[in-house]
Amino acid sequence: MTTKKLLTPTDIWSAKIYSNGWRDPGLGTEEVTEKATGATLGEIGIASPEDVSVAAATAREAQKEWAKTPGPRRGDVLREFSRLMLVHADELADQIVRETGSIRAKAQWEVHMSAREILEAGALGSQPLGVLTASAEAGRQSIARRIPVGVIGVITPWNSPFILGSRAIGPALAMGNAVILKPDSQTPVAGGVSFARLLEEAGLPPGLFHVLPGGAETGAALVKEPLVDMISFTGSTRVGRQIGSIAGGQLKRVSLELGGNNPYIVLDDADIEAAASAGAWGAFFHQGQICLTAGRHLVHERIAGAYAEALARKAKALVVGDPFDEKVQVGPIINERQAANVDRIVADTLVKGAKVLTGGSPNGLFFEPTVLTGVRPGMAAFDEEIFGPVAPITTFRTDDEAVELANASEYGLAAAVASADLARAQRVADRLHSGVIHINDQTVLHEVYGPIGGVGASGNGFNHSTLTNADQFSEWQWITTRSHIPAYPF
């Protein structure tokens, strides 16, 4: 049997926003392009501040009824949502490749991991709603229960729009909330239209889910909208600070997962070939355009030469090009501005004395996997989040120096330590200022179960996981009950 297409014919969603059905936008349209070729894939509507206000009012009314829906029934909708992701996996993966420039393996992983995210979110609806708490008074029943936050604004980036949307949309809906999604206008179909089409098929009641693509004006309106109770944002630290400031002024809950300049520490007893393989994956996967990318390779001076040679050998073997070619492992940078920024960081670092072991040459949006040696604090490749396929190597003499270098950053998203001595690696890990730490692995790990979130300039805490999603997308409400009103002194 032939599976019905989600995204074609495009006239269903072309030049539209999704808000209580597909309708015309308030800020016109933008082209959707294939990043590797520049080909036009269609047009998407750009939502205005007025569109945001209308969506928020609609979502608030719909959310009241959704909150009354029994949790297991909400879970049923999400389980169907997850199933449909797998039914349409090939089509969704193709769209992710086209819009983000990722290789097919990454796109397929993103779809399947998203299906797992939604499946696990569906299970939240079947969990206990609260607890019977202790009370100091006889005859007083005291309970604490979870209630929905209300309307959740979800703002997602372009680099992994499907998984980063799924991990917020699923648990937010499961806990009885409505969702207004603002995908990046560079990836609005993979990161927005796809969700609307899937949730329509899954039977989500009207008005609960909205897709409002746009840029800064749309995002600011969503953050400022009084009827939006919480903002879940994944993106740059610069924008995250702005969102946090506005939301804080409104006493609005905000979840921020921001940038990272993640250290990958290779101790002198590590298996060099294995460490270099993990380091190459951590640095070059998806062109380094992941907040969890291994941005700084901190390597013990005794093995630094051998590690750099092994890493450079792996970098040279990678095929750069159009990710629709199955042989390609490194696709394009997302846009010209980002490609120019990667080039600037490499050039500025070389001017200050670092060396290129391999790569370093841009070709339009394509950038050769690059290994830099002799990188030190004060150089752009050490200090900044690169967001490109660049692996800067910095050496250290002692474990104390490795920790000092790793923590010499305002970021604190992810870190990794490679060593044959697990006790030694744990001692190093215990001193790292990071929300996520992996021992004997690289930094780009994403699972449904462990909390992913950063500290410092990388965010405001635990963020997304099966362990924490219920707390993130609900409020605790305390209720006491007595059979009669007690007597008081006055």
Side-chain angles (χ1 to χ4, degrees):
M1 185 176 70
T2 303
T3 301
K4 181 179 71 175
K5 293 292 186 181
L6 272 179
L7 305 177
T8 54
T10 61
D11 56 4
I12 295 172
W13 54 265
S14 181
K16 299 288 197 302
I17 59 174
Y18 185 75
S19 188
N20 223 15
W22 298 98
R23 62 184 189 82
D24 293 337
L27 284 182
T29 64
E30 287 187 13
E31 284 190 346
V32 184
T33 62
E34 184 174 36
K35 302 308 180 289
T37 67
T40 298
L41 301 175
E43 282 187 309
I44 194 68
I46 301 299
S48 67
E50 292 75 20
D51 292 329
V52 172
S53 294
V54 171
T58 302
R60 174 147 297 209
E61 288 305 308
Q63 187 271 330
K64 293 175 184 177
E65 292 304 312
W66 183 241
K68 297 175 186 176
T69 302
R73 286 176 54 192
R74 296 198 299 261
D76 288 343
V77 174
L78 290 170
R79 283 181 279 274
E80 179 64 5
F81 181 25
S82 174
R83 187 189 72 82
L84 289 169
M85 284 185 178
L86 298 179
V87 169
H88 296 281
D90 289 343
E91 183 185 4
L92 293 167
D94 282 351
Q95 192 68 31
I96 292 169
V97 171
R98 290 189 173 101
E99 285 185 77
T100 71
S102 80
I103 60 174
R104 184 173 300 279
K106 189 262 187 187
Q108 291 171 335
W109 168 88
E110 193 169 337
V111 174
H112 284 80
M113 181 60 76
S114 295
R116 172 57 66 179
E117 289 274 5
I118 300 300
L119 191 64
E120 296 290 346
L124 293 175
S126 304
Q127 296 303 304
L129 299 178
V131 294
L132 181 66
T133 72
S135 177
E137 295 290 333
R140 176 186 292 151
Q141 178 179 270
S142 176
I143 67 170
R145 67 177 183 180
R146 297 184 187 277
I147 60 172
V149 177
V151 178
I152 312 294
V154 177
I155 303 175
T156 54
W158 48 262
N159 58 336
S160 297
F162 201 68
I163 182 65
L164 298 180
S166 296
R167 68 180 187 174
I169 293 166
L173 290 173
M175 299 308 294
N177 303 287
V179 173
I180 300 175
L181 171 67
K182 191 206 81 65
D184 193 291
S185 58
Q186 296 176 100
T187 53
V189 182
V193 172
S194 297
F195 291 119
R197 297 288 289 128
L198 286 163
L199 284 166
E200 280 182 327
E201 287 202 15
L204 187 73
L208 275 172
F209 181 71
H210 303 253
V211 178
L212 306 181
E217 183 176 358
T218 310
L222 184 61
V223 176
K224 294 175 182 176
E225 170 55 51
L227 296 180
V228 172
D229 301 288
M230 173 183 168
I231 295 294
S232 173
F233 172 77
T234 304
S236 73
T237 295
R238 177 184 61 82
V239 176
R241 284 191 169 111
Q242 296 170 358
I243 290 173
S245 177
I246 295 169
Q250 296 182 327
L251 301 181
K252 181 179 297 188
R253 184 185 294 194
V254 61
S255 170
L256 303 171
E257 188 192 312
L258 309 177
N261 190 5
N262 310 300
Y264 175 52
I265 301 171
V266 183
L267 302 180
D268 56 338
D269 59 357
D271 181 320
I272 293 172
E273 284 297 321
S277 177
W281 182 268
F284 305 133
F285 180 58
H286 196 29
Q287 298 80 264
Q289 297 178 123
I290 302 174
C291 58
L292 299 170
T293 290
R296 294 176 293 149
H297 296 236
L298 310 179
V299 186
H300 196 286
E301 63 178 9
R302 280 201 287 267
I303 63 167
Y307 176 85
E309 289 178 5
L311 186 61
R313 186 173 66 251
K314 295 179 183 301
K316 290 177 183 177
L318 295 174
V319 179
V320 180
D322 186 338
F324 257 95
D325 183 339
E326 297 289 344
K327 296 178 182 178
V328 166
Q329 294 132 334
V330 178
I333 302 291
I334 188 67
N335 56 40
E336 292 179 357
R337 180 177 57 82
Q338 181 59 28
N341 191 54
V342 176
D343 194 30
R344 174 193 64 79
I345 289 173
V346 171
D348 288 356
T349 302
L350 296 179
V351 166
K352 290 191 175 182
K355 304 294 183 185
V356 173
L357 199 56
T358 188
S361 299
N363 179 16
L365 297 183
F366 298 96
F367 205 98
E368 292 180 351
T370 299
V371 177
L372 303 178
T373 61
V375 177
R376 304 183 305 277
M379 296 180 176
F382 185 94
D383 296 340
E384 299 183 36
E385 183 181 29
I386 303 171
F387 238 58
V390 180
I393 298 176
T394 301
T395 62
F396 62 85
R397 292 186 177 87
T398 67
D399 292 2
D400 287 343
E401 186 182 4
V403 171
E404 183 179 354
L405 287 167
N407 290 338
S409 171
E410 65 173 345
Y411 296 105
L413 182 56
V417 184
S419 173
D421 185 338
L422 293 184
R424 179 187 178 192
Q426 187 65 61
R427 288 193 297 271
V428 171
D430 288 344
R431 298 164 63 191
L432 298 179
H433 184 67
S434 182
V436 178
I437 301 173
H438 304 295
I439 293 175
N440 283 335
D441 212 326
Q442 43 80 41
T443 55
V444 185
L445 289 180
H446 188 118
E447 283 195 346
V448 183
Y449 311 103
I452 296 178
V455 295
S458 290
N460 63 348
F462 56 81
N463 289 12
H464 305 278
S465 74
T466 53
L467 182 67
T468 57
N469 279 335
D471 282 327
Q472 181 166 205
F473 294 104
S474 67
E475 304 277 9
W476 279 104
Q477 185 180 67
W478 182 36
I479 301 175
T480 69
T481 305
R482 297 181 64 109
S483 60
H484 62 276
I485 300 173
Y488 284 93
F490 58 86

